[in-house]
Amino acid sequence: MPRTRARVARAADEGGPEAGARVNAAGELWLKPGKERSLLRRHPWIYDTAIARVKGRPASGATVAVRGHDGQWLAWAAYSPASTLRARCWSFVEADTIDADWLAARVRESVARRAHLTAEADALRLVFGEADGLPGLIADRYADQLVVQFQAAGVEAHREALLDALLAATGCGNVFDRSDSASRSREGLAQASGVVRGAEPPPRIAIREHGRRFWVDVRRGHKTGWYIDQRDNRELAARLAARARAAAGRDLAALNCFSYTGGFSVALAAGGAASVLSIDASADALLLARENWRLNGLPEAAAQWQEANAFEALRALRAEGRRFDLIVLDPPKFAASHHHVDRAARAYKDINLSALRLLAPGGWLLTFSCSGAIGVELFQKIVAGAVADAGVEAQLLRRLAAGEDHPLRMSHPEGEYLKGLLLQRV
Ligand code: SAH
């Protein structure tokens, strides 16, 4: 038995199932010729097709040494035998030891990088997986509650160390696990959801964001409960509404399509929209959206809530001759992968065309796509097609993206997903 494996086996015996992961190199991945190139650029992913052979018998999530075809050391990575994404790199520094201390340092750095954002919100993403050098780990903070997702075998293997590190870095006591996404099955991991540290979260947690307040249901809400990534775009919507009202000198009508729990609805009304129609297919989301409206002291008469399929609802609004000065379109991910791009493109085109037909002259459209498989350029092309088909003219005023707590690591372009356009009809 090679020395390293003997050490791993001993460590595991002594310290329980996690101890083995404390020792680097439970095995080695040797790459095929040419496949070292992306790692030399610090791209963190290694697909099964890039691997020539595996030395040793690393367990799921174990740390392995990655070597080029000539044996050159390239990275420490977490092994994921069930996934075609066979390994995700922790470090490109040979002297590093991937242990609890190393992980805690990465967590501390991630949290510290967001410190300046706490003034504007207490709902923040503290760790964003690959972008923060912790592939597959999501950690969100809602006031004093942490919510985590372990989306890859590597972070799952270090679950306890990472939870300890998150508590130490934030001073929070309660952590709820939302590792219930279907993507876990690709990593050979079962879905899991529940309290992992401290107490059960209350049914709703009040968060603040740019001076507004919202209820978040971390147990049952989408993602970890709230679309944290849209924080700055909701603030933009509020400022636009204020600007538009001042410019128009009249009451403005807004439409928030795919409203979820009303984040943009509240922002639009708080900014100055006289009425907001919110459309979503989920009755639960709309229920919480109404509560959020109330929580911000907005007038009940200014809100309209519609539980409907947005594709049909938008057409119906046109048939009724409705017009809106401000429209937000923030649909769910239409393209789950590259295989779905064509169908997704048609869906984006459809809703954008419908929205543009409802947009008053001079009105603004904030339109988004969170499909990673649809790039910025393609999205802009789709929307340009919708503008042309609607027979209107529009200006692109701004390109939009997720907030700073959802950074894009330059070495990992796959991390880019949320994109948006701010258009004004002219
Ligand atoms: N803009 C929101 C997030 C939107 S998430 C925010 O800032 O919080 C997308 C929403 O679209 C979800 O609430 C989901 O329930 C809704 N949805 C999905 N398919 C839909 C459809 N066909 N019609 C209407 N709503 C839909």
Side-chain angles (χ1 to χ4, degrees):
M1 186 188 269
R3 200 177 134 262
T4 46
R5 280 186 53 206
R7 277 172 59 203
V8 170
R10 247 198 332 272
D13 287 341
E14 284 159 15
E18 286 228 336
R22 262 187 242 132
V23 181
N24 275 355
E28 296 191 347
L29 304 186
W30 287 59
L31 301 184
K32 293 177 184 167
K35 294 297 182 185
E36 46 280 284
R37 272 201 296 272
S38 69
L39 273 93
L40 291 169
R41 293 199 315 267
R42 295 182 168 237
H43 187 276
W45 286 355
I46 302 163
Y47 281 98
D48 56 344
T49 50
I51 298 171
R53 61 201 159 93
V54 180
K55 282 179 68 180
R57 277 213 243 131
S60 173
T63 302
V64 291
V66 184
R67 297 188 181 278
H69 76 284
D70 57 356
Q72 181 197 0
W73 185 93
L74 296 168
W76 299 119
Y79 187 60
S80 184
S83 177
T84 53
L85 210 179
R86 194 58 48 89
R88 305 192 199 204
C89 295
W90 292 117
S91 163
F92 300 92
V93 177
E94 193 168 5
D96 281 353
T97 303
I98 312 306
D99 57 9
D101 289 343
W102 187 91
L103 294 164
R106 300 292 83 71
V107 169
R108 271 198 308 276
E109 290 163 6
S110 294
V111 172
R113 278 194 287 268
R114 272 89 168 166
H116 66 291
L117 296 173
T118 54
E120 57 197 45
D122 65 0
L124 294 172
R125 175 146 295 183
L126 299 180
V127 179
F128 188 33
E130 274 75 351
D132 285 302
L134 292 167
L137 178 66
I138 300 297
D140 292 340
R141 179 173 189 156
Y142 297 106
D144 288 330
Q145 174 76 47
L146 297 180
V147 185
V148 291
Q149 290 182 327
F150 296 91
Q151 295 176 342
V155 285
E156 179 68 37
H158 292 281
R159 165 185 273 274
E160 299 307 321
L162 288 164
L163 289 170
D164 289 344
L166 280 163
L167 292 190
T170 59
C172 293
N174 301 328
V175 190
F176 194 78
D177 185 12
R178 282 293 304 269
S179 295
D180 52 10
S181 70
S183 65
R184 289 218 351 148
S185 63
R186 285 201 295 270
E187 296 277 319
L189 305 171
Q191 296 185 24
S193 174
V195 177
V196 284
R197 287 287 196 278
E200 189 75 38
R204 285 166 192 189
I205 295 170
I207 59 115
R208 68 179 161 78
E209 178 184 285
H210 289 297
R212 293 174 284 275
R213 304 194 66 208
F214 298 96
W215 293 113
V216 176
D217 178 351
V218 300
R219 259 180 295 210
R220 295 183 313 134
H222 293 179
K223 308 227 268 187
T224 61
W226 177 244
Y227 288 84
I228 301 176
D229 50 4
Q230 288 285 30
R231 176 179 61 250
D232 292 344
N233 297 321
R234 285 186 285 262
E235 172 64 2
L236 173 66
R239 282 190 277 121
L240 261 181
R243 196 172 109 198
R245 191 174 66 162
R250 61 175 173 85
D251 280 356
L252 297 180
L255 168 64
N256 181 15
C257 206
F258 306 96
S259 67
Y260 187 50
T261 56
F264 277 103
S265 309
V266 167
L268 288 162
S275 71
V276 183
L277 168 59
S278 305
I279 300 173
D280 201 281
S282 159
D284 282 347
L286 287 171
L287 219 60
L288 204 49
R290 285 169 190 259
E291 300 277 349
N292 283 331
W293 189 270
R294 255 173 245 140
L295 185 62
N296 288 275
L298 295 164
E300 299 285 329
Q304 249 188 297
W305 311 100
Q306 190 181 345
E307 181 190 336
N309 178 343
F311 289 83
E312 291 156 17
L314 287 169
R315 287 201 178 78
L317 288 168
R318 182 164 186 237
E320 292 165 21
R322 296 279 291 270
R323 286 278 174 160
F324 298 92
D325 304 291
L326 293 147
I327 300 179
V328 176
L329 272 189
D330 184 22
K333 181 159 78 182
F334 287 154
S337 77
H338 288 279
H339 304 296
H340 304 106
V341 165
D342 288 344
R343 206 180 56 199
R346 284 194 293 276
Y348 285 117
K349 169 91 176 278
D350 184 320
I351 55 168
N352 279 280
L353 176 58
S354 292
L356 284 155
R357 286 174 166 156
L358 295 171
L359 195 63
W364 283 272
L365 170 65
L366 283 139
T367 179
F368 297 95
S369 161
C370 59
S371 301
I374 297 208
V376 182
E377 270 183 51
L378 175 56
F379 185 56
Q380 190 173 316
K381 258 188 208 153
I382 294 166
V383 176
V387 169
D389 287 9
V392 297
E393 283 280 0
Q395 289 180 332
L396 171 59
L397 301 180
R398 266 199 213 197
R399 290 199 177 84
L400 308 170
E404 260 183 65
D405 51 345
H406 293 67
L408 174 67
R409 192 125 169 151
M410 296 303 281
S411 55
H412 182 245
E414 292 88 341
E416 182 159 38
Y417 71 105
L418 181 62
K419 62 214 63 89
L421 304 172
L422 168 61
L423 299 184
Q424 184 171 25
R425 191 177 157 188
V426 292

